[in-house]
């Protein structure tokens, strides 16, 4: 990792992800989380204030050391134990059937091999366990998709490999999850190419 991706980018991501529009989406996606939870792409811990009291502990998976440092204050303000437990969502250091639920917010865009990460979540979730997700991805409208394809190379270079055109719901179902709840929408106050969001809960068989 270079200086930009190691030290600068996690700070940019922290500021971008603190946008006002994100908070209600974090609140929604965290609803219903319970028991032992794994969060991939933990970032700077912006979901921590939204973990429901039914969550017993969280295993946080995050490669960026700076993100973890920026999470310090939020971690100090919760009573839910959160451990940095892994560095890579593509290869999770947990036994099969370890978790009741998983959380991913605006992370599936960035993980290089997202199919591998979803496969790992399937493996570590208990049967019937749920994946809660809110992700930006391929827009429902052709005109927006056109711009997403044009802008994706720049987006990937500037934002640590962030893709604009990943078909989130297809990726989740392709990994064998069954969608239980889903809302697809454009985020308020975001350009459409960046704010085509899918928020939902999917269940591992
Ligand atoms: C756009 S940020 C979102 C951060 C956080 N989930 C949030 O909602 O604020 C994407 C995150 O994915 C992390 N990430 C990148 N590659 C990853 C990988 N292979 N495994 C797990 N997380 C990864 C990045 O370091 C970054 O923190």
């Amino acid at each position: 990792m270079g200086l930009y991706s190691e030290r600068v980018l996690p700070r940019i991501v922290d500021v971008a992800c603190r946008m006002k529009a994100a908070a209600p989406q974090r609140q929604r996606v965290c609803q219903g989380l319970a028991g032992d939870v794994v969060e991939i792409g933990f970032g700077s811990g912006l979901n921590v204030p939204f973990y429901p009291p039914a969550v017993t502990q969280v295993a946080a998976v995050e490669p960026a050391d700076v993100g973890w440092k920026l999470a310090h204050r939020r971690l100090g303000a919760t009573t839910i134990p959160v451990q940095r437990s892994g560095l890579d969502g593509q290869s999770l250091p947990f036994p099969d059937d370890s978790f009741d639920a998983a959380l991913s917010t605006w992370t599936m865009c960035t993980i290089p091999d997202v199919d591998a990460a979803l496969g790992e979540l399937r493996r570590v979730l208990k049967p019937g366990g749920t994946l809660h997700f809110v992700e930006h991805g391929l827009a429902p409208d052709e005109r927006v998709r056109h711009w997403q394809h044009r802008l994706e190379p720049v987006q990937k270079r500037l934002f640590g490999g962030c893709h604009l055109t990943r078909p989130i719901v297809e990726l989740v179902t392709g990994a064998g999850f069954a969608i239980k709840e889903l809302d697809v929408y454009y985020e308020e106050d975001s350009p459409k190419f960046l704010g085509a969001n899918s928020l939902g809960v999917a269940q591992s068989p």
Side-chain angles (χ1 to χ4, degrees), residues 13 17 26 41-43 46 62-63 88-90 105-107 110-112:
V13 166
C17 290
R26 294 184 190 282
F42 179 77
L46 291 168
E62 171 56 50
D88 185 1
Q90 302 162 125
T105 64
W106 296 289
T107 290
T110 303
I111 294 185

Side-chain angles (χ1 to χ4, degrees), residues 106-163:
W106 296 289
T107 290
M108 292 183 204
C109 54
T110 303
I111 294 185
D113 187 346
V114 67
D115 289 323
L118 285 163
E120 278 294 84
L121 290 178
R122 275 284 311 279
R123 182 182 69 73
V124 301
L125 278 172
K126 296 173 186 170
T130 50
L131 165 61
H132 294 232
F133 61 94
V134 58
E135 302 288 344
H136 74 89
L138 191 64
D141 301 295
E142 192 47 53
R143 203 165 47 87
V144 183
R145 287 181 183 201
H146 170 77
W147 280 104
Q148 289 183 314
H149 285 291
R150 289 194 70 169
L151 294 170
E152 185 162 71
V154 179
Q155 175 81 8
K156 279 164 73 176
R157 283 187 75 149
L158 288 179
F159 295 101
C162 173
H163 294 70

